[in-house]
Amino acid sequence: MVRVKHSVSTHKRKKRVLKKAKGQVLDRSKQYQQARRSLLHSMAYAYRDRKVKKREFRALWIVRINAACRACGITYSKFISGLTKAKIGINRKMLADLAVNDPQAFTKIVELVKAG
C-alpha cells in the first residue's frame, strides 16, 4: 500500500498562515507556531473590536451632540426627549455630523425642540 505524503498541503497551510502574519513582530511573522498563536489572538481581538467600535462611535456622537446642545442652552437628555416628542427622526450619527459641520442647522433643530 502506498503512503500519502502531506508535504504539499502542509507547506501550503503554513505558507498561508505566515502570509497572514506578515506585519507581526519578531518570531510571530517567521515561525509557524508563533504565527498561528498570534493569528488566533488577533482574529479574536478583531471580532471583539468590531463590536466595540460601534459602542465607541455612539459615545463619540453623544459627546458631540451634548457639547453642541449645551452651547445652545439645553441639556442632551432634554434635547433627545424633545426630539422624540417633536417626532423628529434623525439619528445620533446625523445629529453629531450636523453639530460639527453645520452648527446653524443644528441650532434650528434645537429651536424646534425647544418650541415643541
Side-chain angles (χ1 to χ4, degrees):
M1 189 87 197
V2 180
R3 285 190 176 178
V4 178
K5 292 185 176 182
H6 300 287
S7 58
V8 175
S9 55
T10 304
H11 182 72
K12 201 173 180 181
R13 184 176 66 247
K14 288 182 179 181
K15 196 173 172 184
R16 186 172 59 235
V17 167
L18 288 170
K19 188 178 178 186
K20 284 182 183 174
K22 203 167 188 176
Q24 301 278 346
V25 126
L26 300 173
D27 289 340
R28 291 172 180 216
S29 65
K30 305 282 187 274
Q31 295 177 357
Y32 172 71
Q33 281 190 344
Q34 296 284 354
R36 190 169 154 267
R37 196 174 303 139
S38 178
L39 275 180
L40 284 173
H41 282 110
S42 67
M43 288 189 288
Y45 295 143
Y47 177 80
R48 178 197 69 191
D49 291 338
R50 281 195 295 274
K51 312 291 180 254
V52 171
K53 183 178 166 185
K54 293 165 180 61
R55 271 180 253 157
E56 287 177 349
F57 266 104
R58 186 181 169 94
L60 176 68
W61 299 331
I62 289 171
V63 166
R64 286 179 175 172
I65 295 167
N66 189 19
C69 285
R70 291 192 185 262
C72 295
I74 189 172
T75 63
Y76 172 79
S77 60
K78 287 181 182 171
F79 175 70
I80 293 295
S81 170
L83 279 176
T84 324
K85 288 174 187 166
K87 291 189 171 63
I88 300 173
I90 305 174
N91 63 14
R92 285 166 179 80
K93 182 179 179 179
M94 293 298 118
L95 285 169
D97 188 50
L98 279 175
V100 172
N101 297 322
D102 195 2
Q104 293 170 339
F106 188 81
T107 307
K108 287 184 180 173
I109 293 173
V110 171
E111 300 294 324
L112 287 172
V113 167
K114 283 181 177 177

